[in-house]
Amino acid sequence: GFAESECRRAAKSVADACDALVVLSDRAVDRVALEALVARALEVVEAFHREYPLREGVSNAELATRLSRDLPSDVVAAAVDAAIQKGVLLRKQDALRLASHGAAMARLEGKEKLLGALHAAGLEPPSMAELEKVCGLSLPRLRELLAATARSGEIVAAGMGLHFGRAAFDDAKAKVLDCIARDGEIGTARAKELLGVSRKFLIPFLEALDKQNV
């Protein structure tokens, strides 16, 4: 005949006394079982990193699905929070990753070759086929690498499958903005003259500026 609030207080009192339970919003979970779930969650995240080494991490929804569709969402959230508090799991927006994964991403094969090629190319970046040869990567792995470095802000994705190095893109953006500040606007002919590139590269660059609301 207890009220719900009284039941919660009673459950918390028992949990605090024996330290065997973890009390969530509307349920109590065995602490050993929760710790086992934490370990399992770390295994799932590690497997996700092996499967998709260039992605930032696994989403909450994907992690819950891979653990079990039958697990209550608050129990999964409690396991994730416990792993984050231990410092072994990190959350960036909706992505969960192992704390060690960031260093691994920085050492990925082909990344330095990619950044070097885009930096050297300036506003005339290589095609996907050319980047495959330069980086020594398959097309699927190259796409993963491009997506990862675009998310990190190291490169800028544009139309026509082109990607600009960050320094060249920012330098060209500054020139375009200076021109607009002086003249009030800029057309493609003036931009072509200003940046010294053909329409093949100019249009994707301008579209990238437009997409960024510049």
Side-chain angles (χ1 to χ4, degrees), residues 73-94:
S73 59
D74 58 343
V75 175
V76 174
V80 168
D81 289 343
I84 291 175
Q85 290 175 11
K86 290 180 179 181
V88 293
L89 196 66
L90 299 177
R91 176 187 281 118
K92 184 177 180 180
Q93 296 178 341
D94 188 45

Side-chain angles (χ1 to χ4, degrees), residues 32 41 69 81 122 175 203:
V32 174
R69 295 181 181 274
D81 289 343
K175 291 179 179 178
I203 299 305

Side-chain angles (χ1 to χ4, degrees), residues 169 173 176 203-214:
F169 183 86
K173 179 175 73 173
V176 168
I203 299 305
F205 167 75
L206 294 177
E207 288 177 346
L209 288 182
D210 186 51
K211 187 175 181 180
Q212 293 183 6
N213 295 319
V214 174

Side-chain angles (χ1 to χ4, degrees), residues 6-157:
E6 293 174 325
C7 288
R8 289 182 178 177
R9 284 196 297 270
K12 189 175 189 309
S13 177
V14 171
D16 291 341
C18 66
D19 199 34
L21 299 176
V22 176
V23 178
L24 307 179
S25 59
D26 61 352
R27 77 183 78 243
V29 181
D30 179 75
R31 188 175 298 277
V32 174
L34 184 62
E35 290 176 354
L37 183 59
V38 170
R40 174 63 183 141
L42 294 177
E43 291 175 355
V44 168
V45 176
E46 183 180 17
F48 184 89
H49 287 329
R50 288 197 302 269
E51 187 176 354
Y52 302 104
L54 296 173
R55 294 189 185 180
E56 185 72 30
V58 59
S59 68
N60 288 279
E62 177 72 10
L63 175 61
T65 299
R66 292 190 176 212
L67 283 171
S68 173
R69 295 181 181 274
D70 298 326
L71 282 171
S73 59
D74 58 343
V75 175
V76 174
V80 168
D81 289 343
I84 291 175
Q85 290 175 11
K86 290 180 179 181
V88 293
L89 196 66
L90 299 177
R91 176 187 281 118
K92 184 177 180 180
Q93 296 178 341
D94 188 45
L96 297 165
R97 66 173 175 87
L98 296 179
S100 59
H101 186 58
M105 288 186 70
R107 296 192 301 268
L108 285 170
E109 178 187 2
K111 180 178 178 181
E112 291 305 317
K113 292 180 180 179
L114 170 68
L115 295 179
L118 294 182
H119 176 74
L123 289 181
E124 298 181 340
S127 66
M128 294 289 283
E130 291 169 331
L131 285 176
E132 281 185 79
K133 295 178 181 178
V134 170
C135 299
L137 299 174
S138 66
L139 183 57
R141 182 58 61 88
L142 174 62
R143 284 174 173 162
E144 287 278 350
L145 179 58
L146 288 168
T149 47
R151 284 195 300 269
S152 68
E154 295 167 278
I155 67 173
V156 178

